[in-house]
Amino acid sequence: MKQPSAVCDLLVTGGTFITMDRNFSIHEEGCMAIQNGRILRIGRLEDFSDISAQETLDARGKVILPGFVNTHTHIAMAAFRGAVEDVPNRLADYIFPMERNLVTPDLVYKASLFCLCEMALSGTTTFADMYYFEDEVAKAVKKAGLRALLGETVLGSQAPDAPEPYGGLRYARDFIQAWRSDSLVHPMIAPHAPYTVDSGHLLAVREVAEDLDVPIMMHIAETEPEHRTFSASHGSVMRYLDATGFLSKRLIGVHMIYLDDFDIELAAKSGMSVAHVPVSNAKAGRPICPAWRMQKKGIRVGLATDGPLSGNLMDLQTTVSFFPKLQKMRENRRDIVSAKDALRTATLGGAEALGMDTDIGSLEAGKCADFIVINPDSFTMQPIYDLYAAIVYAMRPDTIESIFVQGKKIAANRHMTTLDEAEVLADMKAIAANCKNYIRSITPKNPAV
Ligand SMILES: [Zn+2]
């Protein structure tokens, strides 16, 4: 036997490695060596006799997968989950006023920590977020140890952290400068939507993004009134954004529901990417986004939960299971969006949509060691004839045992190792106790049906 010639930080041995690389390689009885937070080598266990490690994780009988990439969230809204459900015009009539009254830096920080536990324990290692006081979200992300693309929301009306309209622009610039060289938190800028940010300010956002070289995230073609307004003035929301000069490769469009074939062509031509949020859209009673059609045109599409007020559950597993079902329903075809394609969309597809695929999204030498370890011996996953189908359609978050980001263990035995879960939970209960009276006062007694 060869003597080990190299020493790495961590060796994950045995187990089945689903790499999600471009060839969809799977290594049964595999091995992965990690050094300085990156994958040094991945392949068959028998090819690793020349490597020893400081620490070894015996993963025999387990399944190892790249962490999920959740491409659009508002995690601090965990503080309001379950409030004012099932009402029409929820955003303008209830959520905006509620946020102006209740959102503080302390709430954003503590609610973010709370939501990060749910996301990490259900296998998400990278997510994109837009909200207010995004510095507090960034601090929570650093403490929990996840990877994130974070953007301060820019809004043309008063916001919780900006008394003047468009105050978010200044906050966003400072935020980007403060976090641009961090290894886990990547900044972006996030105008809210075409109907809350005027065309002049959209161009100002684009200027900031180009100047500081960051992505832009915006809700696009999400609501029916937005669709009606821009259809009357420009033919469609996407035609309006194209005419404004806002579409570009650095734009990540969220929702993208009300699109015709020409709009999809515009999106493809611009090089923009898409965060697809099927569960949140369904709950809001909206049509099904043409996600599969956009993928066919070569548009980078990732999956997302949206905020905890919109989709409630923040585990991407619920979303990855819902995604193919809704597309099959929309196209009236069973043979589209295979389980393999769905899992790709939840991992490498999400990384591509966020412009992070050179670093994350698949288990390949040179990429960051962001991965999850699954115990497939569960009453939902067994028997396994097709690993992709078992993960997409039958896996539950409680089958995920441990989570690593940048080679560092952030959860083990289904509990966070970076946070005090009891303290995080107690903080959320205290927040809810403070919010309860206000939320009760705005909740309609007899919602119209
Ligand atoms: Zn959203």
Side-chain angles (χ1 to χ4, degrees), residues 72 74 219 255 306:
H72 177 73
H74 314 278
H219 303 107
H255 295 287
D306 210 347

Side-chain angles (χ1 to χ4, degrees), residues 220 238 247-249 251 253 256 267 270-274 299-300:
I220 298 174
M238 284 296 288
L247 301 182
S248 80
K249 234 186 157 99
L251 177 63
M256 300 282 281
S270 72
M272 68 176 285
S273 63
V274 172
I299 297 170
R300 295 166 290 144

Side-chain angles (χ1 to χ4, degrees), residues 31-201:
C31 190
M32 181 164 70
I34 292 151
Q35 179 71 20
N36 295 329
R38 292 201 177 245
I39 299 168
L40 186 66
R41 189 195 298 172
I42 180 165
R44 294 179 310 168
L45 181 59
E46 63 198 57
D47 296 333
F48 281 69
S49 58
D50 59 327
I51 295 186
S52 65
Q54 308 274 6
E55 196 188 333
T56 300
L57 174 69
D58 181 356
R60 278 174 297 178
K62 308 289 163 67
V63 174
I64 298 95
L65 194 69
F68 291 126
V69 179
N70 188 345
T71 56
H72 177 73
T73 59
H74 314 278
I75 63 170
M77 292 177 91
F80 310 127
R81 174 154 59 190
V84 281
E85 296 282 11
D86 314 316
V87 292
N89 212 14
R90 193 179 183 213
L91 180 67
D93 291 354
Y94 299 96
I95 298 178
F96 280 157
M98 184 165 74
E99 288 178 327
R100 280 196 292 269
N101 273 282
L102 298 176
V103 172
T104 62
D106 185 60
L107 177 143
V108 170
Y109 178 69
K110 288 174 178 165
S112 294
L113 284 178
F114 180 84
C115 199
L116 286 166
C117 292
E118 182 188 358
M119 288 204 299
L121 293 173
S122 54
T124 291
T125 50
T126 295
F127 70 102
D129 188 87
M130 54 189 276
Y131 205 55
Y132 312 105
F133 300 113
E134 203 66 24
D135 273 296
E136 301 299 325
V137 182
K139 279 186 229 162
V141 169
K142 289 296 282 184
K143 189 165 186 198
L146 278 81
R147 190 184 303 283
L149 178 63
L150 307 180
E152 171 71 10
T153 300
V154 177
L155 197 60
S157 54
Q158 192 194 3
D161 56 357
E164 73 285 10
Y166 299 111
L169 256 175
R170 192 167 27 84
Y171 190 117
R173 200 178 254 285
D174 294 343
F175 176 76
I176 294 165
Q177 299 283 18
W179 290 94
R180 58 184 309 130
S181 49
D182 194 85
S183 61
L184 289 176
V185 171
H186 306 287
M188 62 173 173
I189 184 165
H192 176 262
Y195 60 91
T196 48
V197 178
D198 64 33
S199 58
H201 285 90

